[in-house]
Amino acid sequence: MKKNPLLVFILSFLGLGCDGNISVTETIYLETDSYISSSNSDNHSLSTVLKISKTATSEERIILKFPTGSRDQDTNMGDCLTTYPCNVFFLPVAIVTSLLNIVGTCVDEIKSNPDNLDWAILKLNTTDGSTPNTDLINLDSLNKPWWHTVSWDYAHPFSNEGLWTSQGGDINSNINLLNKTAGMETTEVCDSDTICFNITDYFKTVVTQTSPTHYGLLLSAADTTLTQIPIHSVQANTSFTPRIVAKYTGTCFTTSSEKGSTHYLGNELY
Amino acid sequence: MNSTLILLLTFIFFSLPALSETKSSQYTLSLQKGFSLKEFERPPYGFESSHLLPPLITLNIKKDVPTSYWQVQLDFMSVGLPFINFDYGGKFKLSPNLEFTAGLGITLNNVIKTEPYKDSQFSYVAYSLFANGEYQLGPFLIGTNFRFKEITETTLASFESKTTKIDHDSDYILSPYILVDVYILKLKGEYTLYQLGRTAIASDDFGYGYNSLSVGIAKLSVGIPLPKMTLWITYQKLDNISDETAFMYQAPHFSRDYLLAKEAAFANLTWRF
């Protein structure tokens, strides 16, 4: 049957034709981090190096949080003044939204299908060029909001609720962050001085929730001893900043020029 | 020095000559020293217990005329700089035994630029509306103060390019009191009930909120007459606070109200002239 040019145009306009996959790889740089020490309660949020270690007498743990995208101080203040208890520490859906907005017509499809997230990796760079095995490190989700002055004893200094129930950070054991390396592409394997954690399943869960709470991540030694691993912090202000690299592929209706394109977005989202 | 302080001082400067022309005016000058009897167990972040004691010295000057009054109060802290309070109100004699006062007040707690007060929950400007009613019933003077207080948003700290601020909803303060002469002494009992508004601490990626809180302070004062002066000895006790750390952020009324000592005593020398 001969195609009617007008019908093809209308179907294309309505998104009923010219479908294809779009792959988008995004790098999300973290903005807030610190490390806590069982032997030192100093504020380490401004340190350029994060430390993780464990000996018989002391321990250091790294604490991170995802950026909150377009949420700002005024919004959070307003929420906390009007709602009690306030719970503004959401995982940044805004980041996902920003990504999807770039794809444009893929918004609805990708939002409704978490399977469009191919993989998400938390990447950390060591300052000494070492490449520790990730099996040496536990990656857990925190269950309490924390502030820059976070220490071994306190998540934040603003109330008794700021005390960790368990010294060194309270963990939400209901959230399993790691799914090892399943789903990772070989082209995205870690460089020699990089530690990578595959958090794909966690990210997929987040995408399906309307207001997922995310208080941050805790990295601690998996065994009884761990030689200190120095890691570039947010303050290092280089491409080695702790970051999440995520790739999405969605089947969508869009112009052919966008099919199969890969966008490296860096931290230009804000 | 901020613009609010300049405005306040300008207002005082122009008010003084006009008020002093009234023959029936009366000044009250008082000097007060505060003592902490029981301190909070854990000071807030960046502070030491010594920073949270009642002001070492408070200087208050008040001028009454039949239809109005003003007062300025300077609270000198351990770091030496004063917090400044100013009230201006109108007075209405509704009957020989009943007097009503209402006016505006401003508290400048942002005058201090010294650490750790600078960029803390104690560095704020508060605006208030107040009213007072007093009724003379035989030997008893029965009265109550009411104050509506609005505290400005204040920067707490800035780390990792993220500024954290604290903000408060309005506070309501009600203080009924009774004053009686017993022989040569004056006795005064007062209970101040604070309804502290919701408070929030927030930055771009942090938020923490406090629900509104009611807390009271009981005061008992004895006035001892001296030549041309009265010496007031006051004991005050704050209600039990379940979360003292939170209270330090929700009730930073460091000057004027002296909330930040669980138990305190004051010696106040008042001279009327």
Side-chain angles (χ1 to χ4, degrees), chain B residues 50-72:
Chain B
S50 61
H51 293 124
L52 301 175
L53 305 180
L56 296 175
I57 296 289
T58 295
L59 180 65
N60 181 293
I61 183 167
K62 179 179 179 181
K63 183 169 183 177
D64 278 302
V65 295
T67 57
S68 66
Y69 86 97
W70 60 259
Q71 68 173 344
V72 177

Side-chain angles (χ1 to χ4, degrees), chain A residues 71 73-88, chain B residues 150-154 165-171 196-203 206-212 249-250:
Chain A
R71 285 190 73 89
Q73 185 263 330
D74 286 339
T75 306
N76 291 339
M77 185 70 83
D79 284 353
C80 287
L81 277 178
T82 54
T83 307
Y84 178 83
C86 76
N87 205 355
V88 300
Chain B
E150 194 73 47
I151 300 176
T152 56
E153 186 178 84
T154 300
K165 295 185 177 182
I166 183 169
D167 200 4
H168 305 259
D169 273 348
S170 308
D171 293 344
L196 301 169
R198 278 184 173 167
T199 300
I201 293 173
S203 67
F206 181 84
Y208 189 78
Y210 304 84
N211 208 357
S212 56
Y249 290 91
Q250 191 162 17

Side-chain angles (χ1 to χ4, degrees), chain B residues 68-264:
Chain B
S68 66
Y69 86 97
W70 60 259
Q71 68 173 344
V72 177
Q73 180 170 308
L74 306 177
D75 297 284
F76 292 89
M77 310 305 298
S78 57
V79 291
L81 297 170
F83 291 146
I84 299 173
N85 304 280
F86 178 75
D87 282 348
Y88 183 82
K91 298 200 296 190
F92 313 94
K93 199 93 174 173
L94 300 178
S95 75
N97 290 340
L98 180 61
E99 186 174 79
F100 181 73
T101 306
L104 303 167
I106 183 169
T107 302
L108 300 173
N109 272 23
N110 61 345
V111 179
I112 289 184
K113 300 300 181 189
T114 307
E115 299 288 352
Y117 298 97
K118 179 178 175 291
D119 286 345
S120 78
Q121 65 270 40
F122 303 108
S123 175
Y124 64 83
V125 176
Y127 304 93
S128 58
L129 298 172
F130 64 87
N132 168 266
E134 282 188 343
Y135 184 70
Q136 187 73 49
L137 183 65
F140 299 101
L141 180 66
I142 301 168
T144 187
N145 291 310
F146 172 77
R147 189 173 287 266
F148 166 83
K149 202 167 195 174
E150 194 73 47
I151 300 176
T152 56
E153 186 178 84
T154 300
T155 296
L156 270 183
S158 188
F159 294 114
E160 299 182 293
S161 303
K162 295 182 185 298
T163 299
T164 304
K165 295 185 177 182
I166 183 169
D167 200 4
H168 305 259
D169 273 348
S170 308
D171 293 344
Y172 300 88
I173 305 162
L174 186 67
S175 309
Y177 60 88
I178 185 167
L179 179 68
V180 62
D181 290 337
V182 179
Y183 300 108
I184 61 168
L185 299 178
K186 293 178 183 294
L187 296 180
K188 183 180 182 183
E190 182 176 357
Y191 184 78
T192 304
L193 181 64
Y194 291 81
Q195 179 65 34
L196 301 169
R198 278 184 173 167
T199 300
I201 293 173
S203 67
D204 289 352
D205 64 4
F206 181 84
Y208 189 78
Y210 304 84
N211 208 357
S212 56
L213 176 71
S214 295
V215 61
I217 293 181
K219 289 183 185 177
L220 188 61
S221 302
V222 178
I224 304 165
L226 302 172
K228 294 185 179 179
M229 296 182 198
T230 304
L231 173 64
W232 286 94
I233 305 296
T234 299
Y235 165 79
Q236 74 172 37
K237 185 178 186 304
L238 181 70
D239 284 352
N240 286 332
I241 305 294
S242 60
D243 189 340
E244 294 183 5
T245 305
F247 187 69
M248 299 281 182
Y249 290 91
Q250 191 162 17
H253 311 298
F254 200 71
S255 65
R256 187 174 194 87
D257 300 326
Y258 309 114
L259 278 179
L260 292 178
K262 289 197 281 191
E263 290 182 45

Side-chain angles (χ1 to χ4, degrees), chain A residues 5 16 19 62 65 73 75-76 82 86 107 114 116 130 133 137-138 145 161 176 183 185 196 208 244 255 257 269:
Chain A
L16 298 176
D19 57 316
I62 291 174
K65 66 175 88 167
Q73 185 263 330
T75 306
N76 291 339
T82 54
C86 76
V107 171
N116 288 334
S130 62
N133 190 324
I137 301 169
N138 285 334
E161 293 177 356
N176 182 22
E185 294 182 2
C196 294
T208 59
I244 295 163
T255 59
S257 62
L269 288 174

